[in-house]
Amino acid sequence: MSTTMSKMVLFDEIGGPEVLRIGELDLGEPGPGEVRIRVDAFGLNRAEVLFRAGTYYYQPTLPVSRNGYEAAGVVESVGEGVRDFAPGDPVSTFRVPELSAYGVHGEHAVLSAADLVHRADGIDAVTGTSVWLTYSTAYGALVETAGMRPGDTVLITAGSSAVSLAAIQVANHLGAIPVVTTRTAAKRQRLLDAGAAHVIALDEGDLVKRVQAVTDGHGADLAFDSVGGPELEEVAAALVPGGSITVYGWLNPDRALLPRNWPQTIHTYANMALMADAKVRRRTVHFVNAGLRSGSFKPVIDHVYDGLEQVTQAHRRMESNDQFGKLVVTVRH
């Protein structure tokens, strides 16, 4: 068997978690500017679940589609012209250009050196695969896009997702005030323990009135929303005049209503597009590493699954919406 063969998480048709399978692919040796890594752990995000189900913003190439944005491991070999990485370096993926062709959920991955970051001393693989997509999304949306400043009140929806939990930490790190929504009060204390200044359970009453109450009648300066749908109008109504809302997901696929409390700015956010900008990437890497060094950034891990064969259970857990933080799968070698 070729030494470039690798077991990968694959699927041949769109559908539920049951369409996932473990198969072998020949990933080849890294070409010019590329790096081959041994994957020790990978993280699961809502994006991969949507991609497998055929409801992501682009469709998988079938059959034999790969999947996965996040992984952490060790460099095995480098291609011609690579100067910033060497065999043995601990790394994490930073950006994956296309999931079907470059998905990293498997034993190995081959990516452009520009799409990897060094894993700092003391950052293990589970932490290393739980940081970059979540914190870069929170930073890119709140700081680079919305211009969040100290003292801003930030309304964060779907509070128990890994990205929202990262956004709470980013807001606190910069002196902003995170106000977090959740479907029921069941996760209220966990969200407060995770750093939320206020937690609003959506089944307990009017969102706008409750945001007004916790902000002394001011309203939220910014909103960071992954839900979309008709609820977007209510989220936007909780903002101050001239506030801004950044929408980065569509957990509710129904048509969103245009808010009427103008003036207001609505941003639609695509993390992979923003992080393709080298200057933004540099700022993001420095920002996230600084937060890790200071202890401000500590990814919340919901569950760690042991072995590639557990990936189906991880997808089912994500679809249950019961998770609190990151889902991670470790890889045996």
Side-chain angles (χ1 to χ4, degrees), residues 11 20 43-54 56 67-70 99 104-105 133 315 318 326:
F11 61 102
L20 298 171
L44 182 63
N45 302 281
R46 183 69 59 174
E48 288 100 355
V49 170
L50 295 174
F51 189 64
R52 180 259 301 151
Y56 200 40
N67 205 349
Y69 277 123
E70 284 187 294
L99 289 174
V104 297
H105 287 180
L133 186 58
H315 275 246
M318 177 69 78
K326 198 74 177 179

Side-chain angles (χ1 to χ4, degrees), residues 26-141:
D26 189 346
L27 300 183
E29 294 293 348
E34 291 183 334
V35 175
R36 179 184 171 96
I37 67 170
R38 182 196 74 214
V39 173
D40 294 326
F42 59 81
L44 182 63
N45 302 281
R46 183 69 59 174
E48 288 100 355
V49 170
L50 295 174
F51 189 64
R52 180 259 301 151
T55 54
Y56 200 40
Y57 73 92
Y58 64 90
Q59 290 295 301
T61 301
L62 299 171
V64 196
S65 175
R66 291 156 60 176
N67 205 349
Y69 277 123
E70 284 187 294
V74 176
V75 173
E76 288 190 330
S77 57
V78 301
E80 181 183 353
V82 174
R83 300 286 181 265
D84 294 334
F85 297 94
D89 286 350
V91 294
S92 296
T93 59
F94 183 83
R95 181 176 175 271
V96 173
E98 197 277 329
L99 289 174
S100 282
Y102 295 97
V104 297
H105 287 180
E107 291 182 331
H108 301 86
V110 176
L111 290 169
S112 167
D115 294 329
L116 298 173
V117 292
H118 288 279
R119 187 148 43 93
D121 292 342
I123 304 297
D124 62 18
V126 170
T127 302
T129 195
S130 304
V131 169
W132 289 102
L133 186 58
T134 51
Y135 287 85
S136 68
T137 299
Y139 167 79

Side-chain angles (χ1 to χ4, degrees), residues 125-204:
V126 170
T127 302
T129 195
S130 304
V131 169
W132 289 102
L133 186 58
T134 51
Y135 287 85
S136 68
T137 299
Y139 167 79
L142 291 173
V143 180
E144 293 282 345
T145 302
M148 183 179 70
R149 298 168 297 181
D152 283 346
T153 297
V154 185
L155 180 61
I156 301 169
T157 65
S160 59
S161 75
V163 174
S164 293
L165 290 165
I168 292 171
Q169 295 179 16
V170 169
N172 284 324
H173 184 66
L174 291 179
I177 304 163
V179 176
V180 181
T181 74
T182 183
R183 288 176 298 157
T184 71
K187 297 177 181 178
R188 184 192 305 278
Q189 190 57 51
R190 294 180 74 182
L191 287 167
L192 291 170
D193 293 343
H198 305 280
V199 176
I200 297 174
L202 297 177
D203 65 351
E204 292 182 347

Side-chain angles (χ1 to χ4, degrees), residues 7-10 17-23 40 42 44 105-107 303-317 328-333:
K7 289 183 179 179
M8 304 295 296
V9 177
L10 305 171
E18 68 279 358
V19 304
L20 298 171
R21 64 181 177 88
I22 309 302
D40 294 326
F42 59 81
L44 182 63
H105 287 180
E107 291 182 331
H303 192 82
V304 178
Y305 295 88
D306 181 25
L308 285 179
E309 66 276 7
Q310 298 294 310
V311 70
T312 301
Q313 287 87 330
H315 275 246
R316 290 197 176 105
R317 174 72 174 168
V328 176
V329 177
T330 56
V331 183
R332 304 188 205 103
H333 291 279

Side-chain angles (χ1 to χ4, degrees), residues 251-324:
L251 293 178
N252 186 337
D254 293 340
R255 182 172 297 177
L257 299 175
L258 180 67
R260 297 176 182 175
N261 53 323
W262 300 346
Q264 193 170 84
T265 301
I266 302 176
H267 303 280
T268 54
Y269 181 78
N271 194 57
M272 294 300 155
L274 183 64
M275 294 302 152
D277 184 315
K279 291 181 180 179
V280 173
R281 170 200 164 97
R282 181 178 182 277
R283 289 194 294 266
T284 303
V285 169
H286 281 281
F287 180 84
V288 174
N289 276 330
L292 291 171
R293 286 194 303 271
S294 71
S296 294
F297 298 164
K298 296 179 180 178
V300 178
I301 310 297
D302 177 82
H303 192 82
V304 178
Y305 295 88
D306 181 25
L308 285 179
E309 66 276 7
Q310 298 294 310
V311 70
T312 301
Q313 287 87 330
H315 275 246
R316 290 197 176 105
R317 174 72 174 168
M318 177 69 78
E319 290 190 334
S320 76
N321 293 320
D322 291 331
Q323 80 280 3
F324 190 88

